[in-house]
Amino acid sequence: MSAYPHAAATTTAAVTAVPSATTGSEAGDPCCAAPLPVLGRDVTVPLVTGGEVTYAALDYAASAPALQRVWDDVAAYAPYYGSVHRGAGYLSQLSTDLFESSRVTVAEFLDCRPGDQVVFTRSTTDSLNLLAAALPAGCEVFVFETEHHASLLPWRDARVTYLNAPRTPAQAVETLERALADRDPYGPALVCVTGASNVTGELWPVRELAAAAHAHGARIVLDAAQLAPHHPVSVRELDVDWVAFSGHKLYAPFGSGVLAGRADWLQEADPYLAGGGASKKVARRTDGGVDVEWHTTAARHEAGSPNVIGVYSIASACKALTEAGFDSLVAREQHLVATVREGLAEVPEVRVLSLFGDEAPRVGVLSFVVEGWNSSHFAAALSAEYGIGVRDGLFCAHPLVRTLLGSDPQTQGECGAPDAAPGEKSLNAIRVSFGAGTPDEHVERFVRAVKELVRDGAQWKYRTEDGRCVPDRG
């Protein structure tokens, strides 16, 4: 119980106020109104062709805008901000209560098991690097080449088996089972897999992969960076050992992330960072050195002053998503996915990228290429001429995008992709992504813009500047 119940109630009052799921001018129609208002929904941006338009933020897969609810909660807490842990003052005690109650909220959001630890980090990347640093000696890691670099690259100090891109969910399970069957059955092993691709948005068979891992004596960590904002994530039901995600993709862009799951490997590993907070007791030795007793709780890997605002923002977002109801959020998002897919299907020059096929279930993330266009040029025109923000490139998933595009390179357009490898100047794609804060108008404008650009071409000239395709204003 809080040491300062009155103050805690003051700072958490906003969290208990549930926003209407039908907020907006189209309240009453769940297929039109964005159910969770976000910051920036009324921001206008200039068009290179003249005038202004409300900005359509369709790059949620990179960083989702902050929920209005999260912003309000953080603003309500900010005057009470204080140092976390060990402080005797009123604000310090209150902030500590808020920090630790946020840990409980995240554990509930993820449906963690008794004994699981929730460690607060900076991001998904930080979480997976933390786990990589905690691997037992001799651990072998299995990871598909289709992973985001955050889950593909941290394992460089372990024995890593990179698995080829599967073309069906069943093939993913079969590929993993074959690889695990050939490993040393007595050594530790870890499987790392995404829940939803940051390139195609496709859902991966996490529960089946977890069953395969456990059947062969391996553990599994779920990269839920793209899954948690769109679908409920239950550690128990999926039977994963750990889950990692970022606040900035969960409508809480304040620099925090989460690694949640089994405590044993984390407790047995050296602290991820050495310093205050991770240490329980430090004493000088007679030989001039120091002896350190490290915490065995989550604090072991949370050295330094915690980012209490970032942590609280994640907890606020978890509450907002839970209270809005994932069933309704998923249903509405699938309406938006269908709008985009049906619209793009009407343009023969557009090819949507997919590993598992057109009918594979996916979250609100789609990548595509347009015949006759370089993707950087196309994305620049969407921004400059329509006020639509999307992403172009290889999306920090280079092996996957090259697998999807390698046999069908794009035609060189007006602007190049300067970061591509030699011989791959046009090998990049366009990604559109959305979520609970996206109104229908944004995806409808996007579909209209794609059709107009393919039919009529860009209205403006563009050039490459500092690695980006930009309007030529000269």
Side-chain angles (χ1 to χ4, degrees), residues 1-11 86-101:
M1 183 175 179
S2 168
Y4 295 92
H6 174 71
T10 300
T11 59
R86 297 171 300 283
Y90 182 91
L91 300 190
S92 213
Q93 290 292 307
L94 185 149
S95 295
T96 298
D97 289 341
L98 202 63
F99 185 81
E100 293 302 334
S101 67

Side-chain angles (χ1 to χ4, degrees), residues 222-451:
L222 169 64
D223 175 352
Q226 300 296 339
L227 184 64
H230 304 276
H231 276 267
V233 175
S234 170
V235 170
R236 295 178 202 248
E237 291 185 8
L238 294 174
D239 197 23
V240 293
D241 297 280
W242 293 277
V243 60
F245 70 86
S246 296
H248 74 98
K249 297 185 191 300
L250 196 78
Y251 310 100
F254 293 92
S256 282
V258 169
L259 176 67
R262 301 196 181 279
D264 54 351
W265 284 7
L266 300 178
Q267 291 175 342
E268 293 162 7
D270 289 337
Y272 184 46
L273 297 173
S279 56
K280 187 175 182 181
K281 184 186 298 183
V282 180
R284 288 293 302 273
R285 296 196 306 262
T286 55
D287 63 3
V290 295
D291 287 322
V292 184
E293 180 183 350
W294 303 104
H295 281 292
T296 57
T297 63
R300 184 182 187 89
H301 299 291
E302 294 176 345
S305 297
N307 178 4
V308 60
I309 287 179
V311 165
Y312 180 44
S313 70
I314 288 180
S316 173
C318 289
K319 284 180 176 287
L321 290 167
T322 300
E323 291 164 359
F326 269 109
D327 286 347
S328 61
L329 293 176
V330 169
R332 184 181 179 278
E333 184 174 297
Q334 290 310 302
H335 158 74
L336 298 181
V337 170
T339 298
V340 173
R341 286 178 59 82
E342 291 167 7
L344 295 182
E346 296 173 358
V347 185
E349 294 86 350
V350 169
R351 178 167 71 91
V352 175
L353 306 183
S354 175
L355 271 175
F356 299 154
D358 291 342
E359 302 306 314
R362 68 179 72 205
V363 299
V365 179
L366 297 94
S367 296
F368 63 98
V369 292
V370 184
E371 182 181 349
W373 284 81
N374 175 270
S375 295
S376 297
H377 183 193
F378 200 88
L382 285 172
S383 175
E385 300 178 26
Y386 295 91
I388 298 169
V390 297
R391 176 80 35 140
D392 66 275
L394 301 176
F395 318 127
C396 289
H398 295 187
L400 171 57
V401 179
R402 288 177 176 138
T403 293
L404 295 172
L405 294 181
S407 61
D408 186 17
Q410 295 168 254
T411 301
Q412 180 63 36
E414 183 175 338
C415 289
D419 293 330
E424 295 181 342
K425 190 174 183 182
S426 63
L427 190 62
N428 58 332
I430 307 152
R431 184 180 69 191
V432 56
S433 53
F434 39 84
T438 305
D440 274 31
E441 190 276 330
H442 289 186
V443 297
E444 291 166 356
R445 191 198 320 171
F446 165 77
V447 170
R448 288 196 304 271
V450 170
K451 293 179 178 179

Side-chain angles (χ1 to χ4, degrees), residues 109-122:
F109 179 75
L110 295 174
D111 191 25
C112 288
R113 300 161 295 239
D116 281 347
Q117 284 188 348
V118 172
V119 180
F120 289 118
T121 65
R122 293 175 297 179

